[in-house]
Amino acid sequence: MSCSMLGIINATTEFDTFQTLTAHRTLASLPFAGRYRLIDFMLSNMVNSGITNVAIFTGQEVRSLMDHLESGKQWDLGRKRDGLFVFSPEGNSEIERFGSFAHFANNMTYFKRSKQQYVVVANCYTVGTLDFCKILDRHLETGADITEVVHNGEPLQTYILSKKLLLSLFEQYKEQRYYNIFDVVHDNRHTLQINRYEWTGYITNIDCLHSYYQSSLDLLQPTVWEQVFTNDEPILTKVKDEPPTKYKKGSKVRNSIIANGCMIEGEVENSIIFRAVKIGKGAIIRNSIIMQKCQIEENCVLDGVILDKDAIVGNGIQMTGTTEAPLVVEKGSVQRGVAHS
């Protein structure tokens, strides 16, 4: 069944478990898989499901997110009618108190002007492929008021409901103490019919440093990669023109994702290397995530490390983390003359 849907992405969620990775960016704009941001996955799922009207509700720190999204053209949302809309809060006191419903309600005009009958409300940190057309079909078949998407029984903070019901929830959220749809779904006081849709494909929530690190390295498994990145439902992102990666004589790369624009002279194994990274001669990178424009000089050894953007690791430095506690190196930092573990 084909019905119009309005897409809402709640990008206000932040966790304090990412160390410095989210100190200067929102969770939604956290780099992932070599060339993407976390928000790309849910945004692409909506576009691939035929949704042409998407609103992103953000927190206060949005510079990196706005730089990434621009006009929405990369997702075919740079439109004269509908398209991509970004709403930032006017102040944070009410948002902190009442959650996303307060943020939504402050932009009631947007909802009233939209022509879509149903609404998908989703988070910004789920990685995987979701077909919202299938979920909407089930929602209509069951006659549910709200359909909650779950995976292995665990909520994905993603819902489908009618816009009429959503607007009515806005009007009573303070009185009923509903901060968001999750509160509504898991409250036994109302008489709403709640349906749960079990999504059986690969899906994961990036809600802590460990899940970010592990889910990133899981992509090195072909069975996982093929479920996340499909030809029929591509994950779209901001395009950046970079030359192909250059592999110098003596370099070795095994079981890794290497983005474009890199210069590889050393060895890379079981790692994810973002755009425009330079890895010097004799350097060894294992089980690590190296973000955009990092420079790793000669004879370094990095194992179990997350290197944020623009970091520099000097000659001969050794840095070691673990699967449970990867070592995080802050954006733009310079590491010289001492080993870390």
Side-chain angles (χ1 to χ4, degrees):
M1 176 178 288
S2 176
C3 289
S4 61
M5 290 180 283
L6 174 67
I8 305 296
I9 299 179
N10 180 13
T12 64
T13 304
E14 299 293 341
F15 301 102
D16 59 1
T17 53
F18 285 87
Q19 298 185 26
T20 61
L21 291 181
T22 54
H24 53 84
R25 59 168 71 93
T26 66
L27 179 60
S29 61
L30 183 63
F32 190 77
R35 58 191 298 262
Y36 302 92
R37 304 296 181 111
L38 286 186
I39 199 169
D40 290 340
F41 294 86
M42 194 58 74
L43 188 54
S44 296
N45 285 334
M46 290 184 174
V47 171
N48 292 333
S49 298
I51 298 174
T52 60
N53 189 354
V54 177
I56 299 175
F57 288 81
T58 76
Q60 297 287 347
E61 301 296 329
V62 296
R63 186 195 62 79
S64 62
L65 182 61
M66 295 302 296
D67 177 69
H68 179 68
L69 295 171
E70 295 183 333
S71 67
K73 180 181 178 181
Q74 307 292 347
W75 298 266
D76 194 29
L77 291 173
R79 297 165 171 263
K80 293 182 179 179
R81 180 177 299 176
D82 292 339
L84 180 67
F85 300 84
V86 180
F87 297 100
S88 300
E90 297 178 358
N92 61 11
S93 59
E94 188 180 9
I95 302 304
E96 290 176 353
R97 183 178 180 187
F98 291 117
S100 57
F101 272 178
H103 202 349
F104 294 171
N106 285 341
N107 297 279
M108 188 74 78
T109 301
Y110 166 75
F111 291 94
K112 291 183 175 179
R113 287 180 176 176
S114 64
K115 304 299 183 181
Q116 289 76 17
Q117 184 179 358
Y118 295 93
V119 182
V120 177
V121 181
N123 69 66
C124 64
Y125 53 86
T126 292
V127 171
T129 301
L130 289 168
D131 186 339
F132 290 115
C133 294
K134 290 182 179 179
I135 301 171
L136 177 61
D137 287 346
R138 178 71 61 82
H139 175 79
L140 298 176
E141 289 171 4
T142 60
D145 294 303
I146 301 175
T147 293
E148 179 183 46
V149 185
V150 301
H151 180 65
N152 294 330
E154 294 297 321
L156 293 177
Q157 299 280 353
T158 298
Y159 311 90
I160 287 184
L161 67 165
S162 70
K163 187 177 70 175
K164 181 179 179 181
L165 174 58
L166 184 62
L167 292 176
S168 71
L169 292 173
F170 292 168
E171 296 172 356
Q172 56 181 304
Y173 75 92
K174 292 183 181 180
E175 179 183 346
Q176 299 294 334
R177 296 187 179 275
Y178 293 146
Y179 304 140
N180 48 46
I181 297 182
F182 181 89
D183 291 344
V184 178
V185 169
H186 296 274
D187 184 4
N188 295 324
R189 294 176 296 168
H190 59 67
T191 59
L192 296 173
Q193 179 181 341
I194 309 298
N195 178 58
R196 287 175 174 81
Y197 185 101
E198 177 71 35
W199 190 258
T200 57
Y202 175 85
I203 208 94
T204 185
N205 282 339
I206 309 298
D207 54 9
C208 65
L209 180 64
H210 175 68
S211 64
Y212 173 77
Y213 177 76
Q214 190 59 58
S215 297
S216 295
L217 296 190
D218 283 348
L219 292 174
L220 300 177
Q221 303 174 35
T223 54
V224 174
W225 175 271
E226 290 168 0
Q227 291 183 75
V228 175
F229 299 98
T230 67
N231 292 329
D232 295 334
E233 298 173 307
I235 303 302
L236 307 169
T237 191
K238 180 179 180 180
V239 174
K240 292 186 177 180
D241 294 327
E242 297 276 0
T245 287
K246 187 172 184 178
Y247 300 91
K248 300 292 284 286
K249 184 177 180 179
S251 64
K252 297 179 181 179
V253 176
R254 293 183 292 272
N255 193 40
S256 297
I257 296 171
I258 311 291
N260 52 335
C262 298
M263 178 74 72
I264 311 293
E265 295 185 81
E267 299 182 21
V268 180
E269 182 177 0
N270 297 327
S271 296
I272 296 178
I273 311 298
F274 282 69
R275 296 180 174 110
V277 169
K278 295 182 180 179
I279 299 177
K281 185 177 180 180
I284 300 173
I285 313 299
R286 298 191 187 100
N287 310 309
S288 296
I289 301 169
I290 312 299
M291 294 191 193
Q292 186 173 347
K293 295 183 179 180
C294 288
Q295 297 182 41
I296 301 169
E297 297 179 0
E298 294 184 0
N299 302 314
C300 296
V301 178
L302 276 62
D303 193 343
V305 175
I306 300 175
L307 208 62
D308 207 342
K309 290 177 59 177
D310 300 315
I312 298 174
V313 180
N315 289 334
I317 295 293
Q318 296 187 20
M319 310 181 77
T320 305
T322 66
T323 300
E324 294 300 321
L327 178 64
V328 178
V329 179
E330 191 172 352
K331 175 184 177 182
S333 62
V334 179
Q335 311 292 320
R336 295 191 187 279
V338 64
H340 298 266
S341 61

